[in-house]
Amino acid sequence: MSGGAAGEIIYSLVVENKPGVLFRVASQFRRRNFNIESVAVGVTERPDTSKMIITMRGDEQMAEDFARVLSRTIDVIEVRRLDPGRTVRRELALLRLGPGGLELARSVGGDGELAVIRESGGSTIAYAVGSPEYISSLVEVLGRSKVLEEVTRTGTVALEVNDS
Amino acid sequence: MDYMSGSRALIKALEREGVDVVFGIPGGAIMPVYDELLNSGLRHVLARHEQSAAHMADGYARASGRVGVCMATSGPGATNLLTGVATAYLDSTPLVAITGQVPTYMMGRDAFQEIDAVGIYTHVTKYSFQPQRPEEIPWTVRAAFFLASTGRTGPVHIDLPKDVQTGEAEMAFPDAVEIRGYRPRLPPDPAAVARALDMLLESERPIILAGGGVIKSGAHDYLLQLAESALIPVASTLMGKGAIPEDHPLALGMVGMHGTVQANKLVNEADLILAIGVRFSDRTTMEVRGFAPDARIVHFDVDPTEVSKNVRASHAVIGDLRSSLRLLLEMFRERARTGNWGAWRRRVNEVSSEWRDRILGTKSEFSPPYLLKAMREVLPPGAIVATEVGQNQMWAALYFRVLRPRTFITSGGLGAMGFGFPAAIGAKAARPDVPVVDIAGDGSFLMTMNSLATSIDEKLPVIVVILNNSSLGMVAQWQRLFYNRRYAATLFGANPDFVRLAESFGAEGVRVYSLDEFRSALARAMRTEVTTVIDVPIHPEEDVFPFVGPGSTLSEAMLGDGRE
């Protein structure tokens, strides 16, 4: 990455839903040694079409040039860069918590929610939904206190708000 | 709808694309396709190494403007073919490369001759397809040719599992395909073209930099008309050789590491560069901070990712170059005025007349620049010249004047040694009516010289001129200049006798020791019905000049006389 402040970059890609697409997109990042911070993929309302939200850090010019590279990738139908200031972002995490973990998790504040899915013995499986920052601080606090046995995060999904 | 095997469908689809020749080597995983070839009218040219098969298809495509087709088996066939396909990718040659693959039910089991061809080819092609069922083949072939031949042209790969070749199905052959993520035919925005013209007319020292895109899009005629109407000088990149006849008074020759003095000087004095179908490779710009420091760059290209990739453009016109240049020319004629370019024209004439016929840094009259000038005198204007990679290539770029588009074929981007000879054979298959010459070095020729067998077998006679310095000359030149003459692994102890080598394949071989002998050997080779190898022993320390060293700017060329 060339100079300039390494701000948050969010790409929203509409792609073909078929084998090899993630490989083709990821290899464009790999070739330039860009580190993907998070990627979330899911099928859209059209079964032949998926959406990928990819976040990374980098400077503005690089992000803009790379958007053109992504849009040249043949399985990529549409590329949008989302403006972090006008974008709603959410992430989901599944948490396996040891004794005392749930109480500690509930004490963590932030833009998000926590709920229990199942409890058995001393172990609880909970989910948290919220801003990526909320999920990160939850994971950090729980991890530091050794009550987090396992975590699975979805990566960030994002939508730009319409009201301009 | 027709019921047939996947192999039959492949051949039929190739015929529907107008393919007349396929270059390749068979093997286990592609035998059904080869068997079906016998039932068709397609010509197959048997290479002796898959890399050469791809280079042949590449030479065919560059000489003809059509899509080249090459074919290989799975595993080693696919990996050998890869270098040729990568060459085509970096030079944007339209190619369809077909490889066999193990049957779908064996994939992922490390079967005999199995590799992940799609995984590998994705990085060196516009796209890599792997049909999973026979009925997908007609669409896949149509899509492959569509992708290869439109937009920024390039190679496309089709990996065919053996059971997809043998399986039978009802086949529908589409005339057109739609690929949602691919919109190649964007016409130029007239406002962007008008803005480009404004910038041109405002400029005081304009220059055109013509790249390979000019030739690929067939924009050379509009380019020449524009240059002549406005009297703007034209420099070219290596891939742009032939975009303007190089004997034209406005032609400056190649810019870059081994660019001509006049091209490098004038590009760096310009205040506006009309960059047309170029990608500003590092060998063209050299140190970017010193590239055309006073110039605004107006970049015409079909590929939007090229704009400001290597050099920041002040303005861009995206779209098919032929349409863009036609529009620019029309608008220029409508405005009916030129810029205030009188002083600049005098400067261009002054620099150009001082340098354009100079030969720099040679050790004798029997050296590559003189040989190449003699070659130009002997060959007709439409003759096709391919080059290998290294000193031979740069001497050819500097001293062999290309007069027509698609008559100079060289591996510019990948710089693959061994390219020239098979590419020349492929060009001959496309253009049997013109002489085809490979300007070679002994190092490069040794990499694919087994293509002699192909050229004899397939009656595709070409002329190989080996500028023979018994070394890997360009590396040795760098060692002389930058590594204190420490010749690490560049000097050949034993070279074959190239005359007897050629004869052993059934080709003609001749060795020449003077310019006159060279001229007559070349003239004789043009009348001979088999391939001729002309071995030209040159001084082993001949270097290519001008030379802008690595890390230097275009203004800092070494001229081979101790001056800079």
Side-chain angles (χ1 to χ4, degrees), chain A residues 84-104:
Chain A
R86 304 200 314 113
T87 295
V88 179
R89 296 172 305 156
R90 283 292 178 271
E91 185 173 4
L92 184 145
L94 291 174
L95 310 158
R96 191 193 310 279
L97 301 167
L102 189 59
E103 292 68 33
L104 184 58

Side-chain angles (χ1 to χ4, degrees), chain A residues 16 24 48-49 68 72 75, chain B residues 127-128 180 303-304 312:
Chain A
E16 299 281 353
R24 291 191 166 92
D48 62 354
T49 307
R68 284 183 293 171
R72 192 177 66 166
D75 286 332
Chain B
Y127 202 81
S128 175
R180 288 191 289 172
D303 180 355
R312 286 281 150 203

Side-chain angles (χ1 to χ4, degrees), chain A residues 7 17 29 76 130:
Chain A
N17 177 22
F29 287 83
V76 175

Side-chain angles (χ1 to χ4, degrees), chain B residues 347-366:
Chain B
R347 173 66 183 154
V348 170
N349 287 338
E350 175 195 14
V351 174
S352 195
S353 57
E354 182 182 354
W355 292 100
R356 65 177 289 135
D357 292 320
R358 292 268 285 271
I359 284 176
L360 298 166
T362 56
K363 299 204 179 300
S364 78
E365 290 256 310
F366 191 61

Side-chain angles (χ1 to χ4, degrees), chain B residues 33-97:
Chain B
V33 171
Y34 270 82
D35 189 61
E36 198 59 57
L37 262 178
L38 285 183
N39 299 329
S40 79
L42 286 184
R43 179 180 187 187
H44 180 268
V45 171
L46 179 62
R48 296 300 191 272
H49 188 289
E50 289 86 353
Q51 179 183 342
S52 296
H55 290 330
M56 287 173 195
D58 191 327
Y60 171 93
R62 295 193 208 203
S64 66
R66 304 169 65 189
V67 177
V69 181
C70 57
M71 210 144 71
T73 192
S74 63
T79 51
N80 280 346
L81 194 73
L82 190 77
T83 295
V85 174
T87 304
Y89 186 58
L90 286 180
D91 289 343
S92 305
T93 305
L95 215 66
V96 170

Side-chain angles (χ1 to χ4, degrees), chain B residues 343-410:
Chain B
W344 174 237
R345 278 191 198 125
R346 284 190 292 280
R347 173 66 183 154
V348 170
N349 287 338
E350 175 195 14
V351 174
S352 195
S353 57
E354 182 182 354
W355 292 100
R356 65 177 289 135
D357 292 320
R358 292 268 285 271
I359 284 176
L360 298 166
T362 56
K363 299 204 179 300
S364 78
E365 290 256 310
F366 191 61
S367 63
Y370 294 97
L371 288 156
L372 293 166
K373 284 186 176 291
M375 182 186 286
R376 179 72 284 173
E377 289 159 18
V378 175
L379 293 179
I384 293 171
V385 160
T387 80
E388 299 294 344
V389 168
Q391 286 183 314
N392 63 82
Q393 180 184 32
M394 291 298 108
W395 277 316
L398 275 162
Y399 296 109
F400 184 81
R401 285 188 180 152
V402 177
L403 305 178
R404 295 190 186 161
R406 299 196 177 281
T407 63
F408 185 74
I409 296 176
T410 196

Side-chain angles (χ1 to χ4, degrees), chain B residues 243-546:
Chain B
I244 180 170
E246 290 188 300
D247 59 353
H248 195 285
L250 289 168
L252 301 174
M254 184 175 76
V255 69
M257 177 177 267
H258 290 289
T260 66
V261 172
Q262 63 273 24
N264 282 357
K265 263 187 194 293
L266 292 168
V267 160
N268 261 19
E269 291 178 19
D271 70 344
L272 183 108
I273 296 178
L274 282 184
I276 304 171
V278 305
R279 62 183 176 83
F280 293 106
S281 93
D282 54 290
R283 287 298 199 265
T284 291
T285 63
M286 301 308 293
E287 267 300 308
V288 171
R289 65 178 160 77
F291 176 76
D294 303 328
R296 293 203 290 176
I297 288 166
V298 177
H299 198 167
F300 288 70
D301 209 283
V302 71
D303 180 355
T305 66
E306 281 304 333
V307 176
S308 296
K309 182 183 78 178
N310 293 336
V311 171
R312 286 281 150 203
S314 299
H315 179 59
V317 179
I318 302 302
D320 171 58
L321 290 179
R322 189 174 159 80
S323 318
S324 300
L325 283 196
R326 184 174 53 211
L327 193 54
L328 181 67
L329 183 64
E330 279 169 15
M331 288 179 177
F332 177 79
R333 286 179 173 159
E334 275 166 25
R335 300 258 189 116
R337 70 181 186 89
T338 66
N340 182 20
W341 300 329
W344 174 237
R345 278 191 198 125
R346 284 190 292 280
R347 173 66 183 154
V348 170
N349 287 338
E350 175 195 14
V351 174
S352 195
S353 57
E354 182 182 354
W355 292 100
R356 65 177 289 135
D357 292 320
R358 292 268 285 271
I359 284 176
L360 298 166
T362 56
K363 299 204 179 300
S364 78
E365 290 256 310
F366 191 61
S367 63
Y370 294 97
L371 288 156
L372 293 166
K373 284 186 176 291
M375 182 186 286
R376 179 72 284 173
E377 289 159 18
V378 175
L379 293 179
I384 293 171
V385 160
T387 80
E388 299 294 344
V389 168
Q391 286 183 314
N392 63 82
Q393 180 184 32
M394 291 298 108
W395 277 316
L398 275 162
Y399 296 109
F400 184 81
R401 285 188 180 152
V402 177
L403 305 178
R404 295 190 186 161
R406 299 196 177 281
T407 63
F408 185 74
I409 296 176
T410 196
S411 172
L414 193 67
M417 289 173 67
F419 169 81
F421 182 37
I425 293 170
K428 188 69 182 179
R431 295 292 311 276
D433 55 317
V434 295
V436 180
V437 179
D438 173 35
I439 298 172
D442 49 314
S444 287
F445 184 63
L446 281 169
M447 290 196 176
T448 52
M449 56 85 175
N450 55 1
S451 297
L452 279 165
T454 302
S455 80
I456 299 299
D457 251 7
E458 305 283 345
K459 301 193 167 44
L460 293 169
V462 302
I463 302 165
V464 182
V465 175
I466 303 176
L467 304 172
N468 185 351
N469 54 11
S470 297
S471 59
L472 295 166
M474 186 58 93
V475 183
Q477 173 170 346
W478 282 48
Q479 288 167 336
R480 271 190 289 286
L481 291 166
F482 309 125
Y483 290 84
N484 203 24
R485 303 180 76 88
R486 285 159 55 85
Y487 293 112
T490 46
L491 308 185
F492 295 155
N495 245 350
D497 178 335
F498 287 107
V499 173
R500 286 165 59 205
L501 178 81
E503 287 168 354
S504 76
F505 279 93
E508 298 271 328
V510 58
R511 187 169 296 112
V512 299
Y513 296 97
S514 72
L515 282 177
D516 282 343
E517 283 178 22
F518 175 65
R519 281 193 196 92
S520 50
L522 192 59
R524 189 178 134 77
M526 280 165 51
R527 298 191 300 268
T528 305
E529 281 175 12
V530 294
T531 287
T532 302
V533 174
I534 305 177
D535 185 24
V536 190
I538 60 169
H539 193 293
E541 295 201 355
E542 289 285 0
D543 288 332
V544 184
F545 292 108

Side-chain angles (χ1 to χ4, degrees), chain A residues 14-19 21 23-24 27 30-31 46 48-49 61-62 65 68-78, chain B residues 89-90 116 118-120 122-123 126-129 139 147 152 179-183 303-309 312 318:
Chain A
V14 178
V15 300
E16 299 281 353
N17 177 22
K18 63 180 193 185
V21 176
F23 163 68
R24 291 191 166 92
S27 76
R30 205 276 319 147
R31 185 174 173 200
R46 284 185 61 166
D48 62 354
T49 307
Q61 189 63 56
M62 182 277 289
D65 291 348
R68 284 183 293 171
V69 170
L70 290 173
S71 62
R72 192 177 66 166
T73 305
I74 283 167
D75 286 332
V76 175
I77 299 159
E78 186 190 312
Chain B
Y89 186 58
L90 286 180
D116 175 12
V118 171
I120 295 172
T122 291
H123 307 292
K126 283 181 82 170
Y127 202 81
S128 175
F129 291 99
W139 184 92
L147 288 172
R152 179 179 191 156
I179 297 167
R180 288 191 289 172
Y182 183 66
R183 293 165 298 271
D303 180 355
T305 66
E306 281 304 333
V307 176
S308 296
K309 182 183 78 178
R312 286 281 150 203
I318 302 302

